[in-house]
Amino acid sequence: MKHSEVTELFENHVLQTYGRFPLTFVKGKGQYLWDSEGKRYLDMGGGIAVNILGHAHPDLQKALSEQSQTLWHCSNLYQHPLQGELAEALVHRIGDGKIFFSNSGAESNEGLYKLARRYGHAEGRHEIITFKQSFHGRTLAGIAATGQAKVQEGFGPLVSGFQHAVFNDLRSVEERISPSTAAVMLEGIQGEGGIHPATPEFLLGLRELCDTHQLLLLWDGVQCGHYRTGFFQSFQSLLHHQEADTSFLPDAISMAKSLGGGFPIGAFWVRQPFSTLLGPGSHGTTYGGNPLACSVASRILQLIQEQSLDQNALKMGSRLQEGLQKLQLQFPDKIDEVRGMGLMLGIVLRNDGATDSAPSMALVKSLHQEGMLTIPSGTHVVRFLPALNIQPHEVDEALHLLEHTLSKH
Ligand SMILES: *Cc1c(COP(=O)(O)O)cnc(C)c1O
C-alpha cells in the first residue's frame, strides 16, 4: 500500500490525536526500518525506548511463535508458568517484593497511585507529590500526576491529590509535604520532559525524607529502566559507586516500554513490606501477564544477560555521548548541551533565529530526510533511545548523519 493511501485511511478513520510525521513504515530489521517507498531509516528512537533488541529479532520471533503454538491467553483467575517465571526474574533484578502485570506504562502507574491511596487510607492521607516536567501517562490520574499543563488542557476537573515539586530540589518536595501526603513519585530520568536525570544526592535525600514522613517512594521506570543505563533500573547505575549503595530502594517501581520489546506488557513491583496492601479483589486486569507477552519479556531478559547487553548499553552510550559532545564543540551555535545516561541521551538545541520556535521538530524532520529516526522531547530537545544491541558502526553512522544534517541545517 502506498504512503498516500495509508494517509487517507488515517485521515478518514483514525482519531487525530497525534501530530504524526508523514512516514509510513512497513518493515523492520535490526536497527533499521523501511518505509512504504523502500527508503531505509536508522532507528535511533527505538519506538520511544520500546524496541530494546531492535526490530524483528530472530530469538524473539521464535519465543513468540513457539508460545503461540500452546497458550495465547489465560485469565488471571488462573495461573500459568510464564507469568510466575517473569515475576521471579524481575524481583531478582530489583529486590524483595512482588509483581503485578499490566499492559502499558500508564496502567502500571495507575497501580502505583492505587497502592499509595491504600497505604494512606487509614490515616486519611492520599496526596502524591510528583514533579514539574514529569510524564506519567495519559489516563485521567496519569495526566494529573504529569507535571505538564499541555497534557491536562481541557480535561478538568483533574483527579485530585497531586502536587508538583521542582525536580532535583529537596526543599521544594519538603515544602509540599502535608498531613495528607502519602507518597512521592518520580522518573529516574525525566524522558518526555527533556532528559533530566535525578542526581544521586536528590535520590538519597528523597529516601530519607520519605522515611522520616512515612511516605511511599514511587519510581516510574517506564522509559529509563530495563538496562538502558547499564543497570536494570537507573538508580542502580547512579548509586553503585556510592557507599550508600544498598540504602536506596524505592517502595514501588513501574515498568513497560522496553519490557516487552514491542509486544505490549507493563508491570509494577511492590517492595515486600507493602506487598499485601493490594490484596484479593483490590486490583485486576484481563490481559496483564498474558502468556505471549511474558514469553517475549522473559526471553529479552535472558538475551540481555547472555549477551551482556547491559555492558553494551554502557559502551555504546559512551560512544554516542562522546560523539554528541564533539558535535556540540563543532556546532556550538546549534547544540547547547548534551544530557543523559547510557542509551538515554538528548541534545539540547539553541534557537535558530526568531521564527524557529521548535528547533527540535526541525532537526527531527531534517534527520528523516537523511534516513534517521530520533524523538523530539518538547521544543528544544532531541532524544536518542536506540536498542541495547546497537553496534559501534551503527552509532558512528548516526553521528555521521547528524553531523551531515547539522552542517547544512
Ligand atoms: C511512556 C511513558 C509512560 C506511559 O506509558 P504508556 O505505555 O504510553 O501508557 C509513563 N511514564 C513514562 C516515564 C513514560 O515514558
Side-chain angles (χ1 to χ4, degrees):
M1 203 182 266
K2 280 194 191 142
H3 172 64
S4 58
E5 292 170 315
V6 179
T7 302
E8 200 179 317
L9 287 175
F10 268 69
E11 276 172 3
N12 291 334
H13 306 294
V14 178
L15 216 54
Q16 304 286 298
T17 60
Y18 288 92
R20 288 179 204 267
F21 295 110
L23 294 171
T24 300
F25 288 109
V26 294
K27 191 176 84 170
K29 185 77 196 148
Q31 311 304 328
Y32 296 94
L33 277 168
W34 281 263
D35 72 11
S36 47
E37 326 286 277
K39 180 175 165 182
R40 194 181 82 157
Y41 296 76
L42 176 61
D43 185 6
M44 294 303 285
I48 320 187
V50 169
N51 293 95
I52 189 171
L53 298 182
H55 298 273
H57 193 290
D59 290 338
L60 299 187
Q61 287 174 338
K62 189 155 174 277
L64 184 60
S65 66
E66 279 179 10
Q67 185 55 37
S68 75
Q69 316 283 314
T70 55
L71 185 66
W72 282 41
H73 174 70
C74 171
S75 165
N76 279 308
L77 294 171
Y78 318 109
Q79 47 186 45
H80 63 86
L82 292 152
Q83 188 178 136
E85 283 165 12
L86 179 58
E88 183 189 35
L90 294 173
V91 166
H92 176 71
R93 285 162 172 78
I94 302 172
D96 242 10
K98 294 205 166 62
I99 303 283
F100 179 93
F101 288 104
S102 68
N103 307 286
S104 69
E107 238 185 85
S108 303
N109 286 339
E110 286 289 326
L112 302 195
Y113 315 138
K114 285 178 76 174
L115 182 77
R117 290 254 174 134
R118 269 279 163 110
Y119 171 71
H121 190 72
E123 296 167 343
R125 298 194 282 147
H126 73 284
E127 281 190 3
I128 302 174
I129 298 172
T130 63
F131 293 90
K132 295 182 198 296
Q133 302 159 3
S134 62
F135 182 79
H136 298 296
R138 299 288 194 149
T139 58
L140 211 46
I143 61 172
T146 294
Q148 300 186 47
K150 67 179 182 195
V151 311
Q152 303 172 340
E153 210 178 295
F155 295 115
L158 295 176
V159 172
S160 63
F162 291 96
Q163 301 272 339
H164 301 107
V166 177
F167 198 60
N168 279 331
D169 182 347
L170 272 183
R171 279 275 299 280
S172 162
V173 179
E174 219 165 349
E175 280 164 18
R176 283 165 179 80
I177 296 174
S178 78
S180 306
T181 313
V184 177
M185 175 165 171
L186 79 161
E187 295 160 81
I189 303 170
Q190 290 187 329
E192 302 305 309
I195 312 288
H196 295 281
T199 64
E201 305 76 52
F202 182 60
L203 294 182
L204 294 172
L206 262 190
R207 184 66 271 180
E208 214 177 294
L209 209 55
C210 287
D211 291 344
T212 307
H213 296 270
Q214 295 194 304
L215 311 176
L216 292 185
L217 182 46
L218 310 176
W219 186 271
D220 183 339
V222 169
Q223 189 166 149
C224 60
H226 231 74
Y227 295 106
R228 189 154 288 284
T229 61
F231 288 73
F232 185 60
Q233 291 295 327
S234 62
F235 62 84
Q236 296 165 331
S237 329
L238 273 175
L239 298 167
H240 85 287
H241 293 304
Q242 311 224 343
E243 282 175 39
D245 190 0
T246 51
S247 70
F248 183 89
L249 192 60
D251 299 313
I253 299 176
S254 61
M255 297 161 250
K257 293 205 162 92
S258 295
L259 181 59
F263 200 96
I265 181 173
F268 64 91
W269 167 90
V270 180
R271 198 172 178 168
Q272 199 62 32
F274 310 106
S275 62
T276 52
L277 283 171
L278 294 175
S282 65
H283 200 43
T285 165
T286 296
Y287 288 127
N290 167 289
L292 295 169
C294 287
S295 69
V296 174
S298 286
R299 194 71 189 110
I300 289 171
L301 288 173
Q302 286 168 3
L303 288 165
I304 290 172
Q305 195 168 345
E306 284 167 21
Q307 302 177 359
S308 303
L309 295 178
D310 49 347
Q311 293 304 309
N312 195 60
L314 279 180
K315 276 189 216 135
M316 295 304 107
S318 302
R319 192 179 186 101
L320 182 56
Q321 189 164 20
E322 282 162 22
L324 293 173
Q325 282 160 348
K326 272 188 202 147
L327 289 178
Q328 183 191 357
L329 293 177
Q330 198 177 331
F331 300 98
D333 53 328
K334 293 190 171 129
I335 301 180
D336 196 22
E337 196 186 340
V338 177
R339 282 201 295 250
M341 294 166 62
L343 286 175
M344 185 165 180
L345 297 170
I347 51 176
V348 186
L349 301 171
R350 284 187 196 278
N351 257 5
D352 189 11
T355 51
D356 197 1
S357 57
S360 59
M361 289 304 268
L363 180 60
V364 165
K365 285 181 187 162
S366 302
L367 288 168
H368 289 168
Q369 307 254 305
E370 293 293 319
M372 175 157 89
L373 302 175
T374 54
I375 315 275
S377 159
T379 51
H380 284 72
V381 180
V382 172
R383 267 178 292 176
F384 298 83
L385 300 158
L388 305 195
N389 57 355
I390 193 169
Q391 296 301 303
H393 68 93
E394 290 155 342
V395 170
D396 295 347
E397 183 186 345
L399 290 165
H400 174 76
L401 289 173
L402 183 59
E403 179 182 9
H404 188 241
T405 305
L406 286 170
S407 64
K408 55 177 202 180
H409 194 50

